[in-house]
Amino acid sequence: MWETWLLKPGELTLKGGNRKFFEGTLKSNIQRLMAKIDDKIKIRFTAGRYYIQAPQEKTMLVENALSHLIGISGWAKTASCEKTQKAVLDECIKEAKVLSLAGIKTFKVAARRTDKSFPLTSYELCCLAGNEINTATGLKVDINNPDDIINIEIRENAYIYSSGKKGLGGLPVGCAGKGMLLLSGGIDSPVAGFLMACRGMSIDAVHFHSYPYTSQEAKEKVIRLAQITGSYCMGINLYILNFTKVQMLIKKNAPENWITVLLRMAMMEAAQKTALKTKNKCLITGESLSQVASQTIENLNCTQNRITLPVLRPLIGFNKENIIKEAKAISTYEVSIEPFIDCCTLFTPPHPVLHGKVAEANAIYESLELEPLIDEALATYELVK
Ligand code: ATP
Ligand code: MG
């Protein structure tokens, strides 16, 4: 047996002249996700709705993919029937009986009619279906706080569905260029990547480790974070760079209170070089203003001053509580809090500079002559797709 899902696109309905491009991107993302599940799955886009038809036994996989799909505002498993009053009402009653068996007590009907030749208006259809369902099943109408909503959409066919799920919203991944995420093992950077993906950006990621000062487990944790984040981003290419030599040189030759800012400057430089090689248009970080000493406005300015690509910081105005809420929602939180040392926590100075001056930062940075070591790290990267 085959099942059908109806998907409602999100924001892209507002996109004017670019709408076709956005719709096409979303369709190809759906196709890519479904092809991984079963190459027999059919996808159709008609009059503002996407439809997926898949074998019933693939339900869990399809619904899991839809819960990770950016660009849709909602989705539901749907029944379809002829556009006659009788067929629609019969289908509504069938749907209501299933809900009743599941223990639902109250409902409301929401109708939408894009085919205006259907003889009833949406309002008339709601009233009629509400009454018929009530008579046939005993379920009560509750307009304000129903246990479930029975939806009727009169389009090229009639579609009837309940238990609609909220989608992630946003714009389809791939319609807003590609950005290089600086991915640490912490809570913030996966959320930053997810938020930019919700603005339509494809994501690559770069991670710096300092093996053997940081462990193999810390690296594997970042790979898992990239996999979870990538499940929303149509996949992520993760570039892993060994920064041990860069970090040791900074520790050996730089004033102790500057260590963290200088390491961040080196990371930005290496991330930019990786981004330029891989056609990424910007860098993305999980920085949030005043979260830690390296994220004062002066230190953020030092960190990015040698970089020409735009540096996007989607979390800049978030507090930690809200970042954690997002991280839990995308299931990266539990992995992020696993206790492995990141290279940033290695050699953290007890009294870091708080309001670094760009000229001083640059003078120290240049005196360290980090360039050859950064290039060496770039030449020996590991790529995890
Ligand atoms: P998170 O690391 O997720 O931000 P955090 O609070 O530990 O949590 P910081 O250590 O302050 O964050 O790092 C700020 C930002 O710098 C990170 O969000 C990330 O974008 C980048 N960053 C830090 N460490 C690394 C690393 N080892 N590899 C790649 N990027 C990093
Ligand atoms: Mg942080």
mmCIF file of all heavy atoms in Angstrom, residues 188 286 291 295 320, ligand 2:
data_model
loop_
_atom_site.group_PDB
_atom_site.id
_atom_site.type_symbol
_atom_site.label_atom_id
_atom_site.label_comp_id
_atom_site.label_asym_id
_atom_site.label_seq_id
_atom_site.Cartn_x
_atom_site.Cartn_y
_atom_site.Cartn_z
ATOM 1 N N ASP A 188 27.323 26.148 20.809
ATOM 2 C CA ASP A 188 26.890 27.277 19.975
ATOM 3 C C ASP A 188 27.024 27.050 18.468
ATOM 4 O O ASP A 188 26.097 27.361 17.706
ATOM 5 C CB ASP A 188 27.701 28.535 20.347
ATOM 6 C CG ASP A 188 27.603 28.836 21.828
ATOM 7 O OD1 ASP A 188 26.593 28.459 22.447
ATOM 8 O OD2 ASP A 188 28.536 29.448 22.367
ATOM 9 N N GLY A 286 29.818 30.670 15.964
ATOM 10 C CA GLY A 286 28.792 30.618 17.022
ATOM 11 C C GLY A 286 29.028 31.682 18.079
ATOM 12 O O GLY A 286 28.561 31.538 19.205
ATOM 13 N N GLN A 291 29.769 36.761 25.594
ATOM 14 C CA GLN A 291 29.614 35.430 26.202
ATOM 15 C C GLN A 291 30.868 35.045 26.990
ATOM 16 O O GLN A 291 30.783 34.539 28.099
ATOM 17 C CB GLN A 291 29.337 34.377 25.125
ATOM 18 C CG GLN A 291 28.959 33.025 25.693
ATOM 19 C CD GLN A 291 28.851 31.956 24.613
ATOM 20 O OE1 GLN A 291 29.865 31.454 24.120
ATOM 21 N NE2 GLN A 291 27.640 31.611 24.255
ATOM 22 N N GLN A 295 34.947 37.330 23.210
ATOM 23 C CA GLN A 295 33.799 37.804 22.429
ATOM 24 C C GLN A 295 33.297 39.180 22.876
ATOM 25 O O GLN A 295 32.115 39.500 22.725
ATOM 26 C CB GLN A 295 32.690 36.743 22.444
ATOM 27 C CG GLN A 295 33.128 35.512 21.638
ATOM 28 C CD GLN A 295 32.259 34.287 21.838
ATOM 29 O OE1 GLN A 295 31.053 34.379 21.989
ATOM 30 N NE2 GLN A 295 32.892 33.115 21.845
ATOM 31 N N LYS A 320 22.607 32.552 26.398
ATOM 32 C CA LYS A 320 22.951 31.120 26.394
ATOM 33 C C LYS A 320 21.697 30.252 26.515
ATOM 34 O O LYS A 320 21.600 29.196 25.881
ATOM 35 C CB LYS A 320 23.940 30.816 27.525
ATOM 36 C CG LYS A 320 24.661 29.502 27.351
ATOM 37 C CD LYS A 320 25.811 29.592 26.342
ATOM 38 C CE LYS A 320 26.387 28.239 26.004
ATOM 39 N NZ LYS A 320 27.567 28.303 25.133
HETATM 40 MG MG MG B 2 30.550 30.105 22.353
#
